[in-house]
Amino acid sequence: MFQQATLTSSLHAFYKEELITDVVRQVKSGKEASVYCCLADTTHPMLTPETRLLAAKVYRPAEQAGWGKDALRSGRQQGRFRNDAVYRAGQGFLKRRDRVAFEKKSRHGREIQFSSWLYREWESLEILHQSGADVPRPIWNSENAILMEYVGDEEDAAPALAHVDLEPDEAEAICRRVLKNVELFLGCDRVHADLSAFNILYWNNEPKIIDLPQAVDADQNPNARMLLERDLTNVARYFSRYGIALDAERMASDLWSRYRRGWL
């Protein structure tokens, strides 16, 4: 769990903007980030009176997330971010100083690497939410935290699809909707790149796709086609338990072909 000082500092911008009034509980703890359920200030003009809860995703400082200098040099850093290269491919740096720092794994380079994950998640949430995709609505961001729509209620956060038993007709409907979202993502030049039943929430008979820091730009990243097929393979594996047969390779090929022709 985060140190209290780190959590307070991370959420300061949200308190200052009068978007939240308190932290209710920790919802999820991960190697790179933790998610907290917060009470919303329903009087804020960005929020509706019905918005009682918000989710704050707080990224761990680089050293706390296992990104210390020794860990980076030895390759022992933990979590998905250690495999950064496959997601970062095709992404350039505006400044030569930043590129050199990143390549040398200096402190400044580690900070760039760390902050880019948060920025990419925020940017993807904005683009995808505006397109109508089933992702949480982004509300605000700070240096190492994102405030977004909370999925769940006062008692419980929405469960991951992996932990839900669906009825056959529900499974078919959710499958169609998830596949439609994969198509919507690609139409916005995005591939989730880590999609599975563990980062699709299920609430009120609807899916909500979360966890987007590693999402790649399909137009720039040379690994995008491979990552798209991997996402679809994970989706197909989950829905096969309900007797739904999906050909991930064929779907990926069809989607990629239509994407490259500008048909999405």
Side-chain angles (χ1 to χ4, degrees):
M1 191 169 180
F2 285 165
Q3 297 177 355
Q4 185 59 42
T6 301
L7 178 61
T8 301
S9 173
S10 300
L11 301 182
H12 175 72
F14 308 148
Y15 282 111
K16 184 178 180 181
E17 293 295 329
E18 299 182 338
L19 287 161
I20 64 173
T21 60
D22 200 4
V23 176
V24 179
R25 63 181 180 277
Q26 186 180 67
V27 174
K28 180 181 178 182
S29 178
K31 293 183 178 69
E32 294 99 9
S34 290
V35 179
Y36 295 86
C37 174
C38 302
L39 287 178
D41 186 337
T42 58
T43 64
H44 196 283
M46 287 183 62
L47 307 176
T48 66
E50 293 76 28
T51 307
R52 299 187 303 275
L53 301 171
L54 292 171
K57 182 173 183 178
V58 183
Y59 281 77
R60 294 180 182 278
E63 280 68 24
Q64 287 188 26
W67 286 23
K69 193 171 184 179
D70 292 339
L72 281 168
R73 284 176 172 171
S74 66
R76 293 194 306 270
Q77 65 267 32
Q78 299 297 310
R80 133 193 61 178
F81 293 176
R82 71 182 183 277
N83 300 314
D84 185 74
V86 69
Y87 307 110
R88 188 178 292 281
Q91 178 184 344
F93 294 95
L94 293 177
K95 298 178 180 178
R96 180 180 179 277
R97 171 176 175 266
D98 292 344
R99 183 180 70 254
V100 171
F102 176 78
E103 291 171 350
K104 290 184 175 180
K105 303 298 182 184
S106 67
R107 182 178 182 84
H108 177 58
R110 297 198 305 274
E111 290 172 351
I112 294 170
Q113 185 180 17
F114 169 74
S115 63
S116 69
W117 286 93
L118 184 148
Y119 172 75
R120 283 158 64 185
E121 178 156 37
W122 172 261
E123 181 184 54
S124 292
L125 282 172
E126 283 196 310
I127 291 170
L128 294 169
H129 182 264
Q130 290 173 7
S131 78
D134 291 314
V135 298
R137 176 195 170 202
I139 306 296
W140 206 264
N141 69 81
S142 65
E143 285 188 3
N144 68 317
I146 294 175
L147 190 66
M148 67 187 88
E149 174 188 359
Y150 175 82
V151 187
D153 59 22
E154 288 83 352
E155 300 298 324
D156 295 294
L161 196 58
H163 303 139
V164 174
D165 291 322
L166 301 172
E167 296 296 327
D169 58 335
E170 288 180 308
E172 290 181 7
I174 296 299
C175 180
R176 287 194 298 270
R177 191 150 169 180
V178 169
L179 293 178
K180 181 61 178 176
N181 272 274
V182 172
E183 183 175 334
L184 270 172
F185 275 44
L186 194 55
C188 294
D189 298 318
R190 287 295 184 279
V191 174
H192 186 287
D194 193 32
L195 187 63
S196 76
F198 289 96
N199 46 36
I200 302 173
L201 303 181
Y202 182 74
W203 192 254
N204 292 334
N205 301 315
E206 295 182 349
K208 192 75 75 171
I209 298 173
I210 61 169
D211 206 11
L212 294 158
Q214 74 296 313
V216 301
D217 186 325
D219 189 51
Q220 300 295 324
N221 191 305
N223 302 307
R225 168 64 175 78
M226 176 273 290
L227 293 168
L228 173 66
E229 185 170 337
R230 190 175 74 179
D231 282 355
L232 288 168
T233 298
N234 290 338
V235 171
R237 184 181 299 116
Y238 171 77
F239 285 104
S240 67
R241 72 172 66 174
Y242 297 103
I244 300 173
L246 300 173
D247 187 334
E249 184 178 358
R250 182 190 61 78
M251 290 189 299
S253 179
D254 175 65
L255 276 175
W256 193 253
S257 176
R258 289 193 287 134
Y259 169 67
R260 282 306 186 192
R261 287 173 167 79
W263 295 351
L264 294 183

